Amino acid sequence: MPQNIHSDKILILDFGSQYTQLIARRVREIGVYCEIWAWDHDPAEIARYAPRGVILSGGPESVTEAGSPRAPDAVFDLGVPVLGICYGMQTMAEQLGGRVEGGHAREFGYAAVELIAPCRLFDALDSHSGPPRYGEGESWMGEMQRPQAAPSPPPSHSALDVWMSHGDRVTALPAGFAAVASTASVAVVAMADEARHYYGVQFHPEVTHTAHGAEILRRFVVDLCGCATLWTPAHIIEDAITRVRAQVGQDRVLLGLSGGVDSSVVAALLERAIGAQLTCVFVDTGLLRLGEGDQVMTTMAEHMGVHVIRVNAAERFFAALTGVEDPEAKRKVIGRLFVDVFDEEARKLEGVKWLAQGTIYPDVIESAGGKTGKAHVIKSHHNVGGLPERMHLKLVEPLRELFKDEVRRVGVELGLPRAMVYRHPFPGPGLGVRVLGAIRPEYVALLQQADHLFIQALHKHGLYDRVSQAFAVFLPVKSVGVVGDGRAYEWVIALRAVETVDFMTAHWARLPYDFLEEVSRSIINELRGISRVVYDISGKPPATIEWE
């Protein structure tokens, strides 16, 4: 029997911070399972969940305002360690008898924090030694034993570089708490009640800008909450296989394979779990990247042994998109036709009772599904509730608990090629939203080749993994150029490359001028029909990452 990787778990209560999902990802990188619930979740369910520790996130509200969010009293009745971050620290202080005041100058950005008293979160940390920051050699932990508490070493009384984002501040501590860190302008930047293992930090340990943020969270989750680090790719796969087998039994399962990361990992996982019970349908819309249809079949069918039915439907998609220029209209046409083609193939199969989907944890959170309860609905994701009712199939979603980075690591563990698993994001409608305006086969063909040349060059120069997303866009405008000794009046290609952490905001990538010149020359010289290449230097916001 696999170990219960959900037994040692952390509960994160979300007060609306933009960093809440990042907190969860950091906890899981340590090797501990966690879930995000709304701050006003049912207290009885919090008690039944029985976490080994609770983290109160930051948030945009002010504790000093009437009606502002508060942590349920059930959190402090659990008898487990609690960590409040930013707003979470402030509401903890207020609720336990301290005082928070507003009206102070807002602190945003780097700050040097002085560690002024012993605290198990910080002892022996300073900005010049110790574990690395996030992204500098981090890896999932593999320890199998529950750690034993160790006595605290003497305090270092040193400085720590952190990332601040707040206006209010704690001006009076609750009974039992001591101030353990301060800055030149703020007396209480961190507080601790070591007897109850209650801690509050005004800064954000989850962001890369905070030195030793990973170690601070690890000390809370592992040393203070006593969680064993069982949340690893190998254990996740083992657990998922057991649960899928119990869920579907001997029934047949159908999966719509897109070639993207999520559906590919689902396919590989289900193949290992149920083998011949799985059938994948790959709808080739004609709007994929150059050669992608063949790559999907080679990787999944030939190398991974997955049973894949390929449907070449490019002509149907191009016909349905004739004369459609509005981006949202194109999305709807592509989405409806994809479902129709998929449904047609599904009807040819007998005995299928389950539909597998690549739903991942952010989809669930953003759709206000699962245990996120009263979270605001940001968007309705295509994988959540998108099953056509007429298909009468039950859902199996083996990635539903995973963040994207976890899905990628699981994919590598399953044996999928790293180049496939770590490909840049690709929109659901494919090149249908990267050919601006009306879609024609010849436009898509030019874009596929231009995009291929751009991505090839990024790989060649070691730049592909340094940017978060890169692609080409076909602009439906013509520009005068000179080809050989003749005048040309041909199409324009735009190149886009961005750097981002969460895709909510993004900076345009500062690619070297020599590199951009090489790519531009390659596209214009090799592709008849392109006379000009431009580079997009718009950030998000105000622009979006995709053009449509």
Side-chain angles (χ1 to χ4, degrees), residues 2 145 151-152 236 287 337 395 414 423 456 466 469 491:
Q145 302 298 319
S152 300
I236 291 170
L287 301 171
L337 184 54
L395 279 179
L414 285 166
R423 288 179 90 174
Q456 263 193 328
R466 291 173 56 186
Q469 189 172 0
W491 303 110

Side-chain angles (χ1 to χ4, degrees), residues 437-484:
I439 296 175
R440 297 180 182 176
E442 59 269 28
Y443 296 171
V444 172
L446 281 173
L447 179 57
Q448 286 175 325
Q449 295 175 74
D451 185 78
H452 179 66
L453 290 172
F454 183 29
I455 299 303
Q456 263 193 328
L458 287 168
H459 280 296
K460 173 185 172 184
H461 290 275
L463 296 170
Y464 185 83
D465 291 329
R466 291 173 56 186
V467 299
S468 306
Q469 189 172 0
F471 55 91
V473 179
F474 181 91
L475 306 186
V477 294
K478 287 190 173 183
S479 171
V480 174
V482 178
V483 179

Side-chain angles (χ1 to χ4, degrees), residues 255-318:
L255 169 66
L257 187 62
S258 68
V261 174
D262 300 336
S263 69
S264 297
V265 173
V266 170
L269 182 59
L270 292 180
E271 166 61 25
R272 184 173 294 189
I274 58 175
Q277 293 170 241
L278 172 67
T279 298
C280 297
V281 173
F282 171 50
V283 179
D284 190 341
T285 64
L287 301 171
L288 302 174
R289 289 165 282 203
L290 186 67
E292 188 165 16
D294 293 337
Q295 290 173 7
V296 169
M297 295 302 295
T298 298
T299 300
M300 302 309 299
E302 296 180 21
H303 293 169
M304 300 298 294
V306 179
H307 178 214
V308 183
I309 298 171
R310 180 175 184 173
V311 183
N312 294 311
E315 291 185 4
R316 289 180 63 178
F317 277 87
F318 286 127

Side-chain angles (χ1 to χ4, degrees), residues 229-417:
T229 51
L230 302 174
W231 189 255
T232 65
H235 292 143
I236 291 170
I237 291 168
E238 186 181 14
D239 178 75
I241 288 172
T242 299
R243 291 203 280 174
V244 165
R245 287 172 178 169
Q247 183 179 13
V248 307
Q250 299 301 312
D251 296 340
R252 294 186 66 187
V253 178
L254 178 66
L255 169 66
L257 187 62
S258 68
V261 174
D262 300 336
S263 69
S264 297
V265 173
V266 170
L269 182 59
L270 292 180
E271 166 61 25
R272 184 173 294 189
I274 58 175
Q277 293 170 241
L278 172 67
T279 298
C280 297
V281 173
F282 171 50
V283 179
D284 190 341
T285 64
L287 301 171
L288 302 174
R289 289 165 282 203
L290 186 67
E292 188 165 16
D294 293 337
Q295 290 173 7
V296 169
M297 295 302 295
T298 298
T299 300
M300 302 309 299
E302 296 180 21
H303 293 169
M304 300 298 294
V306 179
H307 178 214
V308 183
I309 298 171
R310 180 175 184 173
V311 183
N312 294 311
E315 291 185 4
R316 289 180 63 178
F317 277 87
F318 286 127
L321 289 165
T322 300
V324 181
E325 297 187 7
D326 178 75
E328 286 305 308
K330 288 194 290 186
R331 282 188 171 88
K332 290 177 180 178
V333 168
I334 294 168
R336 281 196 299 264
L337 184 54
F338 184 92
V339 170
D340 288 344
V341 174
F342 183 80
D343 192 24
E344 290 169 11
E345 293 301 316
R347 289 174 181 272
K348 299 175 185 178
L349 303 173
E350 296 182 359
V352 173
K353 296 183 180 180
W354 296 85
L355 178 73
Q357 290 195 148
T359 307
I360 62 175
Y361 196 41
D363 303 338
V364 176
I365 295 171
E366 292 175 355
S367 299
K371 295 179 179 175
T372 51
K374 300 180 179 65
H376 295 295
V377 176
I378 300 171
K379 66 178 180 179
S380 180
H381 193 273
H382 68 278
N383 273 341
V384 181
L387 175 65
E389 293 183 5
R390 64 180 180 272
M391 294 184 72
H392 302 295
L393 298 178
K394 295 175 286 186
L395 279 179
V396 55
E397 299 171 309
L399 307 182
R400 190 178 177 86
E401 294 180 338
L402 305 185
F403 286 102
K404 192 75 168 190
D405 50 345
E406 295 173 316
V407 173
R408 296 185 193 277
R409 287 165 172 158
V410 165
V412 171
E413 184 78 16
L414 285 166
L416 290 171

